[in-house]
Amino acid sequence: HAVYPFTDVVSQEREQQELKETLLSLQPMVKEHPQESFLDFLSHYLGADEAIRILEATGYDALQLPIVTAAMAYDIIKKHPETQNCTENAGNEWRYATDGYGELLEQLKRQAQAAGVEFRLEHRLLSLEKSGADHLLAFSHQGEIQMQRAHHVILAIPPSAMMGLNMDFPATWSPFQYDSLPLFKGFLTFEKKWFECMGLGDKMLMANNPLRKIYFKSDKYLLFYTDSKSATYWRDSVEQGEEIYLERVRSHLEQALPLNGQPLPPIQSHFYKHWPHGVEFYLEPEAKHPTALVHPSGII
């Protein structure tokens, strides 16, 4: 493992310093607005336009949601490495696995298989119903419907994804409501080590466009990471075709980066991932929630 480098936004120092000073100055007033959204809280003290500018400068679209109170927003900001510098958590050190987590997951999988666990990947659960003393599960796999009978069922599924099943979720499971935010990550590699030559290696740039947060991993790759409306924007771009997606990526990068009028170097390869249920949350964040939900039929 190594020290995670993206805890300081060094490429827009003035804007980040203003953001930090503003958030720290308003933090003492949070207790006076326990029910207000973060957007309303900022608008109360700064006006609507400045509140939106501050929210966009954090790089997280989710902070604009009506459900996110000021207290929740400060908690989110201080617990993310990219924004902790705007709070009392500035200087906290994060670490990451230098070769990624793939090998760790494979090792855990091998250990589970040695203990008798069977993995059936790329199955999508379609429905689940009581069948005598058992449960009958219908899966979609490579275009075919497969049925599976099980006596005990434990589901590890995003709560908001449960709403697509025939299980009356959450009414027969929980008195609480659930929702989720999408996430989108795009990776790009280049033939030339151009961003390291610009002093951007291992640095992160906040962008005032749908790229939101742009990470430059040494000279290896460029990554942008988005949530909420920006994630949906990139999903829609991908669905319109790879050519449109890459053209939008190039256009927004050229807008955000200090290229001095030069075009973005050619993209060598790219990879992206969209998570429809990237972040799950309760609609009653202040309530005490159970660690597991149990259906009357015994499904956990």
Side-chain angles (χ1 to χ4, degrees):
H1 54 79
V3 175
Y4 183 75
F6 303 116
T7 55
D8 278 323
V9 183
V10 297
S11 39
Q12 291 185 352
E13 289 151 346
R14 184 178 62 82
E15 290 86 347
Q16 287 300 305
Q17 185 60 32
E18 289 179 357
L19 174 63
K20 181 176 183 178
E21 291 172 357
T22 299
L23 290 176
L24 288 175
S25 67
L26 294 179
Q27 191 168 4
M29 276 76 85
V30 169
K31 292 182 179 179
E32 301 175 18
H33 305 267
Q35 303 301 324
E36 282 188 20
S37 70
F38 191 39
L39 175 58
D40 288 343
F41 170 77
L42 292 177
S43 299
H44 177 82
Y45 292 99
L46 305 174
D49 292 343
E50 182 65 8
I52 292 294
R53 191 185 74 83
I54 289 292
L55 287 168
E56 291 183 344
T58 67
Y60 286 96
D61 293 339
L63 295 178
Q64 301 183 34
L65 293 174
I67 185 179
V68 178
T69 65
M72 290 170 60
Y74 273 93
D75 190 59
I76 291 169
I77 290 169
K78 73 180 182 181
K79 290 180 178 177
H80 282 76
E82 302 88 348
T83 52
Q84 69 174 21
N85 195 42
C86 296
T87 72
E88 65 276 16
N89 280 0
N92 279 2
E93 187 177 271
W94 294 64
R95 306 189 76 80
Y96 75 103
T98 53
D99 295 325
Y101 293 91
E103 180 55 36
L104 173 61
L105 292 174
E106 283 301 314
Q107 180 180 332
L108 292 171
K109 182 180 177 181
R110 289 192 295 269
Q111 291 177 356
Q113 288 173 323
V117 175
E118 178 185 352
F119 289 84
R120 299 182 188 177
L121 304 180
E122 298 181 7
H123 284 62
R124 181 176 183 85
L125 181 61
L126 300 176
S127 65
L128 200 165
E129 59 187 48
K130 190 74 172 174
S131 176
D134 295 333
H135 304 279
L136 194 61
L137 297 84
F139 292 96
S140 172
H141 176 61
Q142 298 182 350
E144 296 183 355
I145 304 298
Q146 297 182 0
M147 308 303 294
Q148 174 74 35
R149 185 175 290 274
H151 191 65
H152 300 288
V153 177
I154 301 175
L155 299 173
I157 294 180
S160 60
M162 289 279 290
M163 299 173 190
L165 299 174
N166 60 329
M167 305 186 68
D168 195 23
F169 186 89
T172 58
W173 295 74
S174 166
F176 304 113
Q177 300 294 312
Y178 304 84
D179 205 345
S180 65
L181 300 176
L183 297 178
F184 187 99
K185 288 187 179 182
F187 292 81
L188 308 170
T189 64
F190 300 84
E191 293 181 2
K192 297 181 179 179
K193 303 177 181 180
W194 59 272
F195 48 82
E196 190 173 58
C197 298
M198 296 173 63
L200 292 173
D202 279 342
K203 292 181 172 59
M204 194 270 286
L205 171 69
M206 292 287 190
N208 190 20
N209 64 38
L211 293 172
R212 310 308 280 131
K213 298 178 291 298
I214 309 170
Y215 305 77
F216 303 87
K217 185 65 187 81
S218 59
D219 63 348
K220 297 178 181 178
Y221 60 83
L222 179 157
L223 156 70
F224 65 93
Y225 167 43
T226 65
D227 68 281
S228 305
K229 63 181 181 181
S230 294
T232 301
Y233 170 85
W234 290 114
R235 180 208 63 191
D236 294 344
S237 299
V238 166
E239 290 180 350
Q240 294 179 51
E242 185 172 291
E243 186 175 333
I244 290 177
Y245 164 71
L246 288 177
E247 179 54 37
R248 289 181 178 179
V249 170
R250 291 183 63 88
S251 176
H252 288 307
L253 282 173
E254 289 174 349
Q255 175 191 354
L257 298 176
L259 296 173
N260 298 320
Q262 297 297 313
L264 186 77
I267 297 171
Q268 183 180 44
S269 63
H270 74 97
F271 171 79
Y272 56 81
K273 177 70 177 178
H274 175 257
W275 292 269
H277 305 275
V279 179
E280 293 284 326
F281 57 89
Y282 306 111
L283 295 183
E284 305 90 355
E286 306 303 324
K288 185 177 181 180
H289 294 269
T291 55
L293 305 180
V294 183
H295 191 265
S297 66
I299 300 170
I300 299 174

